[in-house]
Amino acid sequence: MNYLKAALSAGLYFVGVPIGTARDITLRALDVLASADVLAAEDTRSLRRLMDIHGVPLAGRRIVAMHDHSGAAVTDKLLAAIRAGKSVAYASEAGMPLIADPGFELSRAVAEAGLPLTCAPGPSALPTALALGGLPTDAFFFAGFLPNAATARKAALETLQEVPGTLVFYESPKRLGAMLRDAAEVLGPDRKAAVCRELTKKFEEVQRHPLEKLAEIHAESNPKGEIVVLVDRARSGTVREIDLETELKGALSEMSMRDAVDMVSQAHGLPRRKVYQAALAMGKDDT
C-alpha cells in the first residue's frame, strides 16, 4: 500500500497520470486519488483500472465522467461539490489534464468562481518526447494536433515556419504519413525531425531523420499507438543573402513571384516568408 489517505481541503485537484507505464504515477497523485471526496475522469474505466493496479480503493465513491462532450451540468455539479466544502480530483485518460486533453473548461470555471485549484503533476508525452528526440530543448512550441484536411494543415504549418524553437505535434497514426509529407513540403525536406511512438511503453520507438526521410518511411506504414512528432527550428543561415538574391533573380525571370518564391523556399528549405520579403525588397530596388 503506497498511498497515504488524509483529509484534503476543498478545491479542485488536477492529477497527472501515466502515459503508459502504470508505475510512473507519483506518490502524491496516489494520495490525492485515495483522499479526494469526489473523483472525476475523462475515462472512468481507465482511472478505475489505474487505481486497482495501485490498490487505491473507491471506498464507496462513484467516478464522475468529465470529457469534451460533457455538458455544463457536469461542471456545475463539480463546482457545487467544491462550494459545499468537498475536494474534487480530476484525471485525464493519460498524462496531464489540459495538455491536449480535457480539463480547460473545468479549470476556467473553478478559477472564475474564485474557488481553490491546484495540481498533483505527473507524466506528459510532450516533455518525454523532447527528452528523447535529440533536438534542442532550450525553446519549443507545442502545436497540439494539426487539422485533418490537407489545405488547413499546410496553412497551419505555414504559420509555424519561423518559430524560434523545436515544434512539437501530437498526431494520429492514421494521419502520420500525410502530416510528415506536408511538413516536409512546407517546412523544408531537410529539417531535422523525430517521430516518437508509444513513449514509456513496451514498444517505445524514436526515429530521428530529416522530414523528407521520415515522410518516405511512413508513406505506406501503419504505425500503432500514441505519436509525438518533433521538428527542428528553421536554420535559414545556411544560404547567404547574395545566393538568395541570385536564385530569386533567375526564378523571377521565368515565372511569377508566387511560383518563384515557392520554388526557392522549397529548394533551400527556407521559410516562405523570408524568401517573399527578399523578393519584395528586390522589386523595390529595381524601381
Side-chain angles (χ1 to χ4, degrees), residues 28-240:
R28 182 169 174 239
L30 292 176
D31 293 348
V32 171
L33 292 175
S35 305
D37 298 313
V38 179
L39 296 173
E42 176 187 9
D43 187 310
T44 60
R45 290 174 298 179
S46 66
L47 181 59
R48 176 62 186 271
R49 184 165 57 250
L50 181 66
M51 293 173 65
D52 286 344
I53 289 172
H54 292 287
V56 178
L58 280 175
R61 297 171 296 177
R62 184 176 67 87
I63 303 176
V64 178
M66 173 78 190
H67 44 72
D68 284 334
H69 304 292
S70 298
V74 177
T75 298
D76 292 341
K77 178 180 179 179
L78 297 178
L79 261 64
I82 297 173
R83 289 192 178 100
K86 295 183 178 180
S87 54
V88 176
Y90 174 80
S92 297
E93 182 177 358
M96 281 292 297
L98 280 75
I99 308 301
D101 276 304
F104 174 68
E105 293 300 334
L106 179 59
S107 174
R108 181 167 61 179
V110 170
E112 289 180 349
L115 298 172
L117 168 66
T118 189
C119 180
S124 172
L126 193 163
T128 304
L130 284 168
L132 300 178
L135 295 175
T137 59
D138 59 315
F140 62 88
F141 181 86
F142 178 52
F145 287 92
L146 288 169
N148 291 334
T151 300
R153 185 166 53 237
K154 289 180 182 179
L157 287 166
E158 284 268 2
T159 67
L160 301 172
Q161 283 183 333
E162 297 184 55
V163 171
T166 297
L167 303 176
V168 185
F169 304 93
Y170 285 176
E171 193 49 87
S172 160
K174 295 180 180 179
R175 295 194 302 266
L176 179 61
M179 178 269 181
L180 291 169
R181 181 195 64 224
D182 291 344
E185 177 183 333
V186 175
L187 302 178
D190 297 325
R191 274 226 212 177
K192 293 180 180 179
V195 171
C196 307
R197 186 179 68 85
E198 290 290 82
L199 294 173
T200 79
K201 300 177 184 178
K202 181 178 180 180
F203 297 105
E204 177 179 280
E205 178 184 33
V206 180
Q207 298 172 316
R208 306 175 187 87
H209 299 286
L211 276 172
E212 187 173 51
K213 176 66 173 178
L214 287 172
E216 292 174 359
I217 292 172
H218 291 284
E220 302 296 335
S221 70
N222 186 29
K224 296 181 179 180
E226 303 294 326
I227 293 171
V228 183
V229 177
L230 306 178
V231 181
D232 197 7
R233 69 193 69 183
R235 305 287 179 177
S236 57
T238 56
V239 178
R240 292 179 296 129

